[in-house]
Amino acid sequence: MNEKIKLSKPYLLSADDLTIDDINNIFVKTHFFMDNHKTGVKYDDLKSTIVSLAFFEDSTRTKLSFELAAKRLSADCFSFQAKTSSLSKGESVLDTLKTIEAMGVGIFIIRHNCSGVPVFLQGNTNGMIINAGDGQHEHPTQALLDAFTLHKHFGDLKGKKVCIIGDILHSRVARSNMTLLNTLGVDVSICSPGTLLPYDMNAWNVGIIDTVDEAVEWADVLLVLRLQRERMESGLLPSIREFSNYYSITIEHLRRKPELMLMHPGPVNYGIELDYSISKLPNVLIETQVTHGVFVRMALLSLLSGYAN
Ligand code: ASP
């Protein structure tokens, strides 16, 4: 391995920050960490770096896998708990960041329910910001681990067909995936009720598919999304049951096309966007995505470590 390889930007705010070379370098490094993994073995890429997980919004997978990744690279790593912090006493997000920075933190892994917070913070710190999901804007590391999962399954992704199904409007995962998969030459389509399509659909280089049946027929992979009700205004759907009747993926869909792969970033709301009966089928990659997430985040942190304070 050439340890001197760095990513082209000294932070990760958006999937747009990653060139095709960056993505390929991340994949190579991810393979290295996966192939050589032994429980308890640590690397020293982040030995002299303090990493803070600053999650202003809830998370299971992203937070835990970043923590594990940072610790496997020997970082000093701590979590900032937004709910029990001085935010409740009126401290601003920027002052919170400055306070943590004053403790010597070099890498901030930020999740916030407002789009744009990681970009704003990067403009106001000497540290490195990694976006772990901001509002409905971007979730670049989810897109990286999704793309790695596809690459591990298919090899070259050029011309592969991925249909993103469900609540696209509120989904940062959809936005980051549309960008990153396009960079990799993947043919991306979306399938969603009209009220859950982004207003700026023309800005995205993706096709629109009307029905789940057509999506099943067209795609190599379905990337299914949760209804993100925490960001949803009322009146966008007649009812959850109505959505489910038209957009839920069932075992019949997957039986009809056994080579079709299915991914979901989690958390899954079984019974709404996915039928529970599909969860254990071999072509459902949800747990594999989680496993890959740790190694992808190790690779990302390792390749960014040369920039860290
Ligand atoms: N875990 C993903 C996110 O943070 C997807 C979701 O919440 O539905 O955006």
Side-chain angles (χ1 to χ4, degrees):
M1 297 289 291
N2 181 353
E3 294 299 334
K4 295 218 171 87
I5 292 173
K6 277 184 175 179
L7 299 185
S8 45
K9 298 223 170 123
Y11 48 73
L12 181 61
L13 305 174
S14 151
D16 225 10
D17 292 329
L18 298 167
T19 63
I20 188 141
D21 285 345
D22 290 333
I23 299 168
N24 286 330
N25 286 329
I26 291 170
F27 286 0
V28 170
K29 195 88 188 181
T30 303
H31 277 295
F32 169 81
F33 284 131
M34 275 183 82
D35 296 346
N36 294 289
H37 175 64
K38 283 197 199 80
T39 306
V41 171
K42 293 199 177 189
Y43 298 85
D44 57 10
D45 305 55
L46 293 178
K47 202 168 175 29
S48 44
T49 306
I50 307 178
V51 174
S52 174
L53 301 156
F55 278 59
F56 299 82
E57 188 197 289
D58 295 342
S59 169
T60 301
R61 281 152 276 266
T62 306
K63 187 167 176 217
L64 294 179
S65 71
F66 261 121
E67 183 171 348
L68 201 51
K71 285 181 173 165
R72 282 187 187 164
L73 299 179
S74 306
D76 224 344
C77 178
F78 69 88
S79 282
F80 156 80
Q81 306 291 350
K83 282 184 184 136
T84 52
S85 74
S86 292
L87 284 168
S88 63
K89 300 180 188 168
E91 191 160 51
S92 72
V93 174
L94 181 56
D95 284 342
T96 304
L97 176 98
K98 289 288 178 196
T99 303
I100 304 175
E101 190 173 14
M103 296 174 194
V105 169
I107 300 181
F108 300 88
I109 298 168
I110 305 279
R111 168 168 290 192
H112 202 285
N113 60 356
C114 289
S115 301
V117 166
V119 174
F120 166 68
L121 293 179
Q122 186 62 72
N124 288 283
T125 174
N126 295 320
M128 175 193 299
I129 304 286
I130 298 179
N131 182 357
D134 61 327
Q136 58 194 59
H137 176 224
E138 284 257 9
H139 193 349
T141 60
Q142 179 69 45
L144 272 172
L145 75 90
D146 291 343
F148 179 79
T149 303
L150 293 173
H151 152 79
K152 186 106 186 8
H153 186 80
F154 292 110
D156 186 14
L157 294 183
K158 215 169 261 152
K160 287 285 171 243
K161 294 177 179 160
V162 175
C163 185
I164 308 177
I165 300 189
D167 179 3
I168 316 286
L169 177 62
H170 302 99
S171 175
R172 53 197 178 206
V173 174
R175 283 178 180 75
S176 288
N177 262 300
M178 290 193 278
T179 301
L180 196 114
L181 292 176
N182 261 316
T183 305
L184 292 171
V186 174
D187 196 352
V188 184
S189 282
I190 56 175
C191 176
S192 164
T195 49
L196 296 180
L197 285 175
Y199 314 116
D200 58 346
M201 230 26 259
N202 292 338
W204 301 96
N205 182 24
V206 299
I208 299 183
I209 293 181
D210 291 329
T211 67
V212 168
D213 283 341
E214 290 169 277
V216 168
E217 201 177 311
W218 176 81
D220 299 303
V221 182
L222 303 181
L223 174 49
V224 183
L225 301 172
R226 179 176 68 90
L227 285 177
Q228 286 139 85
R229 283 180 276 181
E230 71 275 23
R231 284 191 277 280
M232 203 178 275
E233 292 162 19
S234 62
L236 290 177
L237 289 172
S239 73
I240 302 294
R241 204 169 51 166
E242 190 105 12
F243 170 84
S244 214
N245 280 345
Y246 287 95
Y247 291 95
S248 170
I249 309 300
T250 65
I251 200 155
E252 284 71 36
H253 290 122
L254 297 191
R255 282 211 183 110
R256 201 182 304 160
K257 191 170 174 185
E259 70 278 20
L260 181 66
M261 307 308 293
L262 185 140
M263 304 204 301
H264 189 304
V268 180
N269 287 168
Y270 284 107
I272 299 181
E273 71 272 17
L274 286 185
D275 211 18
Y276 192 74
S277 54
I278 70 162
S279 63
K280 298 286 173 245
L281 292 180
N283 43 348
V284 173
L285 297 173
I286 300 171
E287 283 172 18
T288 308
Q289 289 169 265
V290 176
T291 305
H292 290 167
V294 179
F295 296 108
V296 166
R297 290 180 172 115
M298 284 175 78
L300 174 75
L301 288 169
S302 165
L303 291 168
L304 283 171
S305 63
Y307 292 115
N309 296 322

